[in-house]
């Protein structure tokens, strides 16, 4: 064992993750770590990708069920075998089993193998400890027995070495006894040794003076009993299960925390647990939740796989960092286990790692509650953490109250169900009269009230496969997107304007809020949607749905609705956008018929934009940063997608080639276009270079993601998403990484205006804008 300062001992344990070693086939020699759920096949989105052509795209799956690793065949073409036997039902796996996929054979390696090969250690005498405290186990050593009688010289040398070893053991014992005498929990002060100086270390903390001298061990769990009362469940993004005599939590999406609770309420205590990150990005975190009263009120002690810690609280839905992210040499890295400890006595809270005090603070926000463990992801979408050897001490006479278990062992919560696409229903009052027959284009109703002219049919209107949005099941009670900031992450700056559909009133309203957390929320315009702001945020343009005040309007953002300028009062006009250069306006309208055409305000009057004398058909136009070009959704020569054009209509360039591609927006530097599309069968956000190259998906989720917009500095992309069953504001990096949830908009962006369903097209014609 590796000795730390003050005689503390780094406690480690082998990884609980099995491994698969390729012993035959094209991938021979490769070693793969097995997760709680591991899919195997040829497709790149499998956890283990095999190059064998006889392996199916999705061939098999290994998962942990009730403490047993199990292999399932996923209907593969060539079958799966274990030790030569064909797998037809879920098959338990044992150490050294040979698993065959096509021409590839893998050996199943359990961590217990390496433990069995290690010589047993012999304990030495334990030092005296204070009453009521757990005994501290010093480092142990084992000595191999000689197989033959050694020469006399070797005996003499061995005797000398033995004397040296006894002397060393005595010194270690003496040091450990001194360390235990001043360990956290005793009355003596225990200053925290300084960690690496990165500018973030906190001052040395001492044990609060009013910590009880004696504590009683009132609760412990080695997780060998899967009915010990801890939550045991899984859903779409998380698993928390008993397995291999440990409690395991897995998260497989970014920006999510999942927790398991002991379901016991306690006020004053000291808790200790062995925690280990089995797999996942080392910047993701894990640790202890305590004084947990509900999902909006608890304390959180994080450590990360690369040696940082954080102490924070979430009270009434607001995050506060009590000790910011800080590096510590006492936190084990590289996948080694950490012994984490928290003491909470009244307002005094102290945290430790591996026997060393990290910080001590006073906070009176929460004085009792549940306790448990968590695993948390930030930018990287996967982490797997295991917990073992939990112990809790309280002052004599302190009560611990049982709380009813939230989920029974083995329960699959509702969030595990596959999301079912739904279509927002059209209210009965909005049903058109029998003589008006509606067509479905873009998945929503189009009205043929106006007859298309010859000018308006330059090219076919894009055909969208579906305008409906998938509605995933909400997150379970033991998971949340509401997270403390990751290390080094800053709060998003600026405000975002967005529409919200009110299903009771059957219409939209426009709101503005701080993008970071939805703070400073205010109603900008009632009975309106499709908001657009000038670059400085001083003016707003929008589509009014007021029955007696229809059309497109613009006004100062702090002005009065009554004084707004109605620059196009046709019911069929939509999606106004300001030029970043001179605040002139561009939009689309169906006044000429079913096919939309692009319009521009010239000298205060809306005029159709033309190319070679004919109207430029298309929808959802947006300007470039220099005001010389615009992008829109349309067709050229029978191919539909995103088009880039000069403002005068010349030099059209086809950037994408799918009819559902819509709502494009050019980056502030003019290099990239983001848009939303159903090209993969679900609404996702994409990007493409301004010349049409390097098309890539930025989101890939069972939810509906869309309405992308650039941050003012061009470094982030905001979008709306209904993942987790709630429409929320998100943002992400330019490559789609580091997706971060910001806030729920408390409504939907997808709806049909009740009193004008013929001109209402749902969220595919909505808009959001991000301003400084």
């Amino acid at each position: 064992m590796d000795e730390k300062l003050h005689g503390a001992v780094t406690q480690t344990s082998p990884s609980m993750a099995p491994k698969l070693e390729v012993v035959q086939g094209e991938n021979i020699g490769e070693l793969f770590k097995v997760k709680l759920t591991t899919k195997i096949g040829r497709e790149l989105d499998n956890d283990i990708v095999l190059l064998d052509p006889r392996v199916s795209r999705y061939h098999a799956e290994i998962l942990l069920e009730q403490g047993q690793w199990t292999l399932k065949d996923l209907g593969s073409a060539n079958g799966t075998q274990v030790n030569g036997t064909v797998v037809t039902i879920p098959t338990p796996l044992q150490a050294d089993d040979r698993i065959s996929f096509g021409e590839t054979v893998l050996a199943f390696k359990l961590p217990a193998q390496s433990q069995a090969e290690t010589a047993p250690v012999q304990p030495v005498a334990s030092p005296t400890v204070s009453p009521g405290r757990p005994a501290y186990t010093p480092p142990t050593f084992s000595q191999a027995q000689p197989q033959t009688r050694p020469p006399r010289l070797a005996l003499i040398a061995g005797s000398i070495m033995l004397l040296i070893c006894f002397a060393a053991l005595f010194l270690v014992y003496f040091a450990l006894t001194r360390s235990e005498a001043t360990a956290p929990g005793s009355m003596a002060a225990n200053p925290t040794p300084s960690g690496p100086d990165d500018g973030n270390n906190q001052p040395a903390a001492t044990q609060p003076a009013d910590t009880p001298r004696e504590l009683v061990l009132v609760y412990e769990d080695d997780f060998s009993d899967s009915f010990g009362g801890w939550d045991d469940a899984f859903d779409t993004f998380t698993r928390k299960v008993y397995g291999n005599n440990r409690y395991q939590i897995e998260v497989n999406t970014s920006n999510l925390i999942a927790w398991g609770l002991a379901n016991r309420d306690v006020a004053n205590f000291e808790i200790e647990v062995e925690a280990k990150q089995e797999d996942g990005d080392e910047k993701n975190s894990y640790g202890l939740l305590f004084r947990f009263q509900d999902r909006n009120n608890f304390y959180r002690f994080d450590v990360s796989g690369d040696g940082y810690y954080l102490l924070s609280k979430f009270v009434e839905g607001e995050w506060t960092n009590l000790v910011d992210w800080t590096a510590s040499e006492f936190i084990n890295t590289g996948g080694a286990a950490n012994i984490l400890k928290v003491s909470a006595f009244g307002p005094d809270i102290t945290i430790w790692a591996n026997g060393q005090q990290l910080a001590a603070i006073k906070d009176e926000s929460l004085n009792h509650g549940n306790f448990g463990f968590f695993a948390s992801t930030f930018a990287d979408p996967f982490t797997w953490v295991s917990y073992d050897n939990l112990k809790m001490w309280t002052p004599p006479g302190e009560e611990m109250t049982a709380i009813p278990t939230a989920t029974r062992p083995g329960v699959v919560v509702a969030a595990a169900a596959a999301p079912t696409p739904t279509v927002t229903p059209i209210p009965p009052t909005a049903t058109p009269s029998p003589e008006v027959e509606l067509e479905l284009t873009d998945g929503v109703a189009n009205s043929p009230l106006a007859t298309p002219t010859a000018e308006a049919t330059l090219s076919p209107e894009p055909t969208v496969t579906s305008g409906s949005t998938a509605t995933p099941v909400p997150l379970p009670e033991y998971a949340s997107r509401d997270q403390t900031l990751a290390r080094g992450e800053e709060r998003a700056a600026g405000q975002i304007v967005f529409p919200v559909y009110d299903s009771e009133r059957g219409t939209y309203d426009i709101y503005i809020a701080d993008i970071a957390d939805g703070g400073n929320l205010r109603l900008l315009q009632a009975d309106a949607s499709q908001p657009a702001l000038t670059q400085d945020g001083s003016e707003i343009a929008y589509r009014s749905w007021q029955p007696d005040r229809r059309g497109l309007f613009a006004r100062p953002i702090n002005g009065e609705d009554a004084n707004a300028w109605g620059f196009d009062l046709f019911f069929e006009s939509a999606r106004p956008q300001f030029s970043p250069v001179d605040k002139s306006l561009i939009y689309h309208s169906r006044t000429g018929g079913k096919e939309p055409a692009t319009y521009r305000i010239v000298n205060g009057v809306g005029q159709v934009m033309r190319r070679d004398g004919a109207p430029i058909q298309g929808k959802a136009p947006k300007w470039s940063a220099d005001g010389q070009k615009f992008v829109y959704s349309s067709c050229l020569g029978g191919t539909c997608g995103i088009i880039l054009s000069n403002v005068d209509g010349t030099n059209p360039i086809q950037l994408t080639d799918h009819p559902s591609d819509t709502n494009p927006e050019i980056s502030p530097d003019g290099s990239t276009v983001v848009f939303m599309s159903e090209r993969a069968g679900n609404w996702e956000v994409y990007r493409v270079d301004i010349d049409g190259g390097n098309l890539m998906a930025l989101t890939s989720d069972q939810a509906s993601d869309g309405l992308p917009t650039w941050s003012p500095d061009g470094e982030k992309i905001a979008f709306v998403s209904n993942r987790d069953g709630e429409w929320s504001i998100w943002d992400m990096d330019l490559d789609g990484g580091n997706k971060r949830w910001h806030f729920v908009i408390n409504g939907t962006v997808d709806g049909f205006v009740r009193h004008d369903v013929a001109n209402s097209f749902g969220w595919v014609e909505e808009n959001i804008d991000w301003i400084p």
Side-chain angles (χ1 to χ4, degrees), residues 565-567 582-585 587 599-607 623:
W565 168 41
F567 58 88
D582 58 9
K583 297 183 181 180
S584 60
L585 288 150
Y587 56 98
Y599 284 73
R600 182 183 180 189
I601 297 297
V602 178
N603 297 324
V605 178
Q607 297 183 5
W623 303 87

Coordinates of all heavy atoms in Angstrom, one line a residue, residues 565-567 582-585 587 599-607 623:
W565 N -45.2 48.4 -35.0 CA -45.4 48.7 -36.4 C -45.8 47.4 -37.1 O -45.1 46.4 -37.1 CB -44.0 49.2 -37.0 CG -44.0 49.2 -38.5 CD1 -45.0 49.6 -39.3 CD2 -42.8 48.8 -39.3 NE1 -44.5 49.5 -40.6 CE2 -43.2 49.0 -40.6 CE3 -41.6 48.4 -39.0 CZ2 -42.4 48.7 -41.7 CZ3 -40.7 48.1 -40.0 CH2 -41.1 48.3 -41.4
G566 N -47.0 47.4 -37.7 CA -47.4 46.2 -38.4 C -46.9 46.3 -39.9 O -47.5 47.0 -40.7
F567 N -45.8 45.6 -40.1 CA -45.2 45.7 -41.5 C -45.8 44.8 -42.5 O -45.5 44.9 -43.7 CB -43.7 45.7 -41.4 CG -43.2 44.4 -40.8 CD1 -42.9 43.3 -41.6 CD2 -42.9 44.3 -39.4 CE1 -42.4 42.1 -41.0 CE2 -42.4 43.1 -38.9 CZ -42.1 42.0 -39.7
D582 N -28.5 46.5 -41.0 CA -29.4 47.7 -41.0 C -30.8 47.5 -40.4 O -31.7 48.3 -40.6 CB -29.5 48.2 -42.4 CG -30.1 47.2 -43.4 OD1 -30.5 46.1 -42.9 OD2 -30.0 47.4 -44.6
K583 N -31.0 46.4 -39.8 CA -32.3 46.0 -39.1 C -33.4 45.9 -40.1 O -34.6 45.9 -39.7 CB -32.6 47.1 -38.1 CG -31.7 47.1 -36.9 CD -32.1 48.1 -35.8 CE -31.1 48.2 -34.7 NZ -31.5 49.1 -33.6
S584 N -33.1 45.8 -41.4 CA -34.2 45.5 -42.4 C -34.7 44.1 -42.1 O -34.1 43.3 -41.5 CB -33.7 45.7 -43.8 OG -32.7 44.8 -44.1
L585 N -35.9 43.8 -42.6 CA -36.6 42.6 -42.3 C -36.8 41.7 -43.5 O -37.0 42.1 -44.6 CB -38.0 42.9 -41.6 CG -37.9 43.5 -40.2 CD1 -39.1 44.5 -40.0 CD2 -37.9 42.4 -39.2
Y587 N -38.8 37.7 -44.3 CA -39.7 36.7 -43.8 C -40.3 35.9 -45.0 O -39.9 36.1 -46.1 CB -40.9 37.4 -43.1 CG -41.6 38.4 -43.9 CD1 -42.8 38.1 -44.5 CD2 -41.2 39.7 -44.0 CE1 -43.5 39.0 -45.3 CE2 -41.8 40.7 -44.8 CZ -43.0 40.3 -45.4 OH -43.7 41.3 -46.2
Y599 N -39.9 37.2 -48.6 CA -40.2 38.6 -48.8 C -39.2 39.4 -48.0 O -38.5 38.9 -47.1 CB -41.6 38.9 -48.2 CG -42.7 38.4 -49.1 CD1 -43.0 37.1 -49.3 CD2 -43.5 39.4 -49.8 CE1 -44.1 36.7 -50.1 CE2 -44.5 39.0 -50.6 CZ -44.8 37.6 -50.8 OH -45.9 37.2 -51.6
R600 N -39.1 40.7 -48.5 CA -38.2 41.6 -47.8 C -38.8 43.0 -47.7 O -39.5 43.4 -48.7 CB -36.9 41.7 -48.6 CG -35.8 42.6 -48.0 CD -34.6 42.8 -48.9 NE -33.6 43.6 -48.4 CZ -32.5 44.0 -49.0 NH1 -32.3 43.6 -50.2 NH2 -31.7 44.9 -48.4
I601 N -38.6 43.7 -46.6 CA -39.2 45.0 -46.5 C -38.3 46.0 -47.2 O -37.1 46.1 -46.9 CB -39.3 45.4 -45.0 CG1 -40.3 44.5 -44.3 CG2 -39.8 46.8 -44.8 CD1 -41.7 44.5 -44.8
V602 N -38.8 46.7 -48.2 CA -38.1 47.7 -48.9 C -38.9 49.0 -48.9 O -40.1 49.0 -49.3 CB -37.9 47.3 -50.4 CG1 -37.2 48.4 -51.2 CG2 -37.2 46.0 -50.5
N603 N -38.3 50.0 -48.3 CA -39.0 51.3 -48.1 C -40.3 51.2 -47.4 O -41.3 51.8 -47.7 CB -39.2 52.0 -49.5 CG -37.9 52.3 -50.2 OD1 -36.9 52.7 -49.6 ND2 -37.9 52.2 -51.5
G604 N -40.3 50.3 -46.4 CA -41.5 50.1 -45.5 C -42.5 49.2 -46.1 O -43.6 49.0 -45.5
V605 N -42.3 48.6 -47.3 CA -43.3 47.8 -47.9 C -42.7 46.4 -48.2 O -41.6 46.3 -48.6 CB -43.7 48.4 -49.3 CG1 -44.8 47.5 -49.9 CG2 -44.3 49.8 -49.0
G606 N -43.5 45.4 -47.9 CA -43.0 44.0 -48.2 C -43.1 43.7 -49.6 O -44.1 43.8 -50.3
Q607 N -42.0 43.2 -50.2 CA -41.9 42.8 -51.6 C -41.3 41.4 -51.7 O -40.4 41.1 -51.0 CB -41.0 43.8 -52.3 CG -41.5 45.2 -52.4 CD -40.6 46.2 -53.2 OE1 -39.7 45.7 -53.9 NE2 -41.0 47.5 -53.2
W623 N -30.6 36.0 -42.3 CA -29.5 36.8 -42.9 C -28.2 36.2 -42.5 O -28.0 35.6 -41.5 CB -29.5 38.2 -42.4 CG -30.8 39.0 -42.7 CD1 -31.9 39.1 -41.9 CD2 -31.1 39.8 -43.8 NE1 -32.9 39.9 -42.5 CE2 -32.4 40.4 -43.7 CE3 -30.3 40.2 -45.0 CZ2 -32.9 41.2 -44.6 CZ3 -30.9 41.1 -45.9 CH2 -32.2 41.6 -45.7

